[in-house]
Amino acid sequence: MNAGELEGLFREKFGKEGFRSFFAPGRINLIGEHTDYNGGHVFPCAITYGTYALAAKRTDRMVRMYSVNFSEKGIIECTLDELSYHTAHDWANYPKGMISYLKKTGYLIEEGLDLLFYGNIPNGAGLSSSASIEMVTGVMLQSLFALKIDRIELVKLGQIVENQYIGVNSGIMDQFAIGMGKKACGMLLDCQTLQFRYAPIQLEHHVIVIMNTNKRRVLAASKYNERRQECEDALKILQEKVPAQSLGELSLETFEKYETSIANEIVRKRARHAVSENERTIQALEALEKNDLYTFGELMNDSHRSLRDDYEVTGAELDALVEAAWEQNGVIGARMTGAGFGGCAIAIVERGSVGDFLDQVGQTYLAAVGCEASFYIADIGDGASEIELEVHI
Ligand code: GLA
């Protein structure tokens, strides 16, 4: 879909010309998985795939929404006075949730909207298409209604919409990466304090390959919430021994001193992942800052093993893909990215080896799993903002 086609569709669907354009990226997480809701660190970056929104204000209170990706659903309508969640509204619940929560928080949105969305993030692949649509809606509303909202507040609001309106108890990482992303940089974020710093990712001779299992993420939300609960259970037990507000505050050494107090082995393993992954994330940034890509890659591999063995969120498809990647020449490291239970993995691969890498991993995966993987090269881009939609004639 190019800009001219999007512009034509806007005219066709809404019968008018004028609109403003916005973009929010998707994200990958380099390391630091399932640590955000445990008060630990994450190290994500925004990618150049994402969600476009074309938007124009109306003179009445109707909100009319159309997605190129869900064209079979047609235009979904509601009013500014009835913004509650409706299963039948499907994807449109994300923009509705943002409008609803901004209004609830006291921001004035008193005119309706015509909205056209188009996303080029593979859907349900764990690259945060949902947070992307939330954040593109957020920056669009902020600009069109001149809302005085700070970016971090918008990020937090996106998370609240996901937690309370959509009903997935996710952490802050996705909305943060998408709202705050910066070209060619990763972000080390302390999810307890929201302190963060940008870290340039200058790979030069390497690229980041995104590998999609093309496996639908079955029961991802309920299993996600279950892992969260297990970590909370572990924290409660550990708090009888150590004063900590989150698992992210514990060093691996402290954890190992008290872990036997957690009688349930599964709960103990979950906590071990949360604590060890947080340490790996901090070490990974140190390695990157020393330009030590090899240590960074090793930490990525350890992260995948921990997610596979202790957190148990990888599954056969992600394991097959990552294990195939580990076997290839020119691979620095590979791991699943995002929530897991299907979705995507990433690998850092030497530029000159990418062709062979794609062939080999593709074939091995197909033979092991019986379905094709898809591959994309990740470019690290900026966070959500208004854009000039260039129409190529
Ligand atoms: C999903 C959630 C994030 C984070 C990751 C796992 O992407 O939305 O908040 O918990 O899973 O790291």
Side-chain angles (χ1 to χ4, degrees):
M1 204 31 70
N2 63 33
E5 287 168 324
L6 281 179
E7 191 185 27
L9 256 181
F10 189 88
R11 201 181 308 122
E12 179 193 318
K13 296 293 165 195
F14 301 118
K16 54 164 106 147
E17 298 283 336
F19 58 79
R20 285 165 67 181
S21 311
F22 302 86
F23 174 76
R27 67 96 189 89
I28 51 173
N29 186 20
L30 297 171
I31 191 163
E33 216 65 83
H34 289 279
T35 44
D36 60 352
Y37 53 82
N38 282 310
H41 292 76
V42 292
F43 191 32
C45 45
I47 55 178
T48 50
Y49 294 103
T51 314
Y52 294 83
L54 276 49
K57 275 192 198 173
R58 298 173 57 90
T59 48
D60 58 13
R61 296 177 69 78
M62 293 290 295
V63 182
R64 305 184 76 227
M65 297 165 280
Y66 179 82
S67 165
V68 178
N69 303 74
F70 301 97
S71 55
E72 72 283 359
K73 306 254 173 212
I75 294 178
I76 296 174
E77 290 187 349
C78 64
T79 76
L80 289 176
D81 307 302
E82 216 303 276
L83 289 162
S84 51
Y85 185 97
H86 279 301
T87 311
H89 284 175
D90 201 69
W91 67 269
N93 283 304
Y94 292 98
K96 273 176 64 184
M98 287 301 285
I99 304 172
S100 165
Y101 273 67
L102 274 166
K103 277 171 70 64
K104 254 193 206 173
T105 319
Y107 292 98
L108 287 184
I109 300 172
E110 297 297 344
E111 289 150 296
L113 292 153
D114 288 323
L115 299 173
L116 181 133
F117 294 93
Y118 166 65
N120 59 8
I121 313 177
N123 237 328
L127 301 177
S128 280
S129 52
S130 55
S132 179
I133 190 168
E134 286 156 8
M135 294 311 293
V136 80
T137 307
V139 294
M140 179 272 294
L141 293 168
Q142 179 183 13
S143 297
L144 291 191
F145 295 95
L147 307 179
K148 297 214 172 354
I149 183 166
D150 157 280
R151 184 51 67 98
I152 300 280
E153 290 310 312
L154 201 59
V155 161
K156 287 188 191 160
L157 202 99
Q159 186 197 4
I160 293 173
V161 167
E162 189 75 41
N163 295 168
Q164 298 180 2
Y165 188 91
I166 305 293
V168 180
N169 213 4
S170 53
I172 192 82
M173 173 171 73
D174 302 346
Q175 288 82 6
F176 192 93
I178 290 168
M180 302 294 292
K182 188 166 159 184
K183 193 172 167 57
C185 285
M187 291 160 261
L188 184 79
L189 169 69
D190 177 337
C191 299
Q192 186 88 329
T193 61
L194 290 193
Q195 284 189 355
F196 71 100
R197 69 180 204 263
Y198 291 110
I201 313 246
Q202 285 151 338
L203 293 176
E204 291 171 28
H205 307 298
H206 295 84
V207 294
I208 303 173
V209 178
I210 301 175
M211 311 182 283
N212 188 351
T213 58
N214 286 325
K215 188 204 162 200
R216 281 181 63 95
R217 293 187 303 146
V218 188
L219 287 179
S222 64
K223 293 216 180 120
Y224 183 95
N225 291 346
E226 185 184 293
R227 292 296 179 282
R228 235 191 126 138
Q229 185 59 50
E230 288 160 347
C231 287
E232 274 164 30
D233 294 348
L235 178 64
K236 257 196 211 117
I237 298 168
L238 290 168
Q239 278 171 334
E240 287 167 19
K241 311 277 176 193
V242 263
Q245 278 174 36
S246 71
L247 292 178
E249 279 176 35
L250 300 177
S251 66
L252 193 54
E253 200 187 339
T254 308
F255 172 75
E256 283 175 346
K257 208 155 132 197
Y258 299 113
E259 67 174 326
T260 47
S261 57
I262 308 173
N264 182 322
E265 197 199 327
I266 293 195
V267 172
R268 192 161 65 231
K269 285 204 305 185
R270 306 298 190 241
R272 167 174 281 276
H273 167 77
V275 173
S276 65
E277 180 76 353
N278 188 40
E279 288 210 340
R280 276 188 292 274
T281 307
I282 295 165
Q283 287 163 9
L285 182 77
E286 284 166 11
L288 197 71
E289 287 180 336
K290 287 190 213 138
N291 239 329
D292 179 359
L293 212 50
Y294 292 91
T295 302
F296 190 86
E298 278 308 312
L299 290 161
M300 286 175 74
N301 298 345
D302 289 345
S303 164
H304 186 86
R305 287 186 204 103
S306 177
L307 288 155
R308 179 188 67 192
D309 303 334
D310 284 344
Y311 221 61
E312 298 181 274
V313 292
T314 56
E317 292 83 2
L318 278 168
D319 287 340
L321 209 45
V322 168
E323 283 159 22
W326 285 343
E327 296 295 307
Q328 308 306 316
N329 290 330
V331 173
I332 297 283
R335 58 181 292 277
M336 57 154 267
T337 192
F341 314 105
C344 285
I346 52 171
I348 301 185
V349 185
E350 225 170 60
R351 228 172 256 281
S353 308
V354 171
D356 287 346
F357 174 88
L358 301 186
D359 286 349
Q360 292 299 323
V361 175
Q363 279 173 32
T364 311
Y365 182 73
L366 181 62
V369 172
C371 93
E372 302 236 4
S374 312
F375 300 92
Y376 327 87
I377 303 294
D379 273 326
I380 303 179
D382 283 320
S385 68
E386 182 158 11
I387 54 163
E388 288 289 327
L389 198 69
E390 285 169 31
V391 183
H392 301 288
I393 304 172

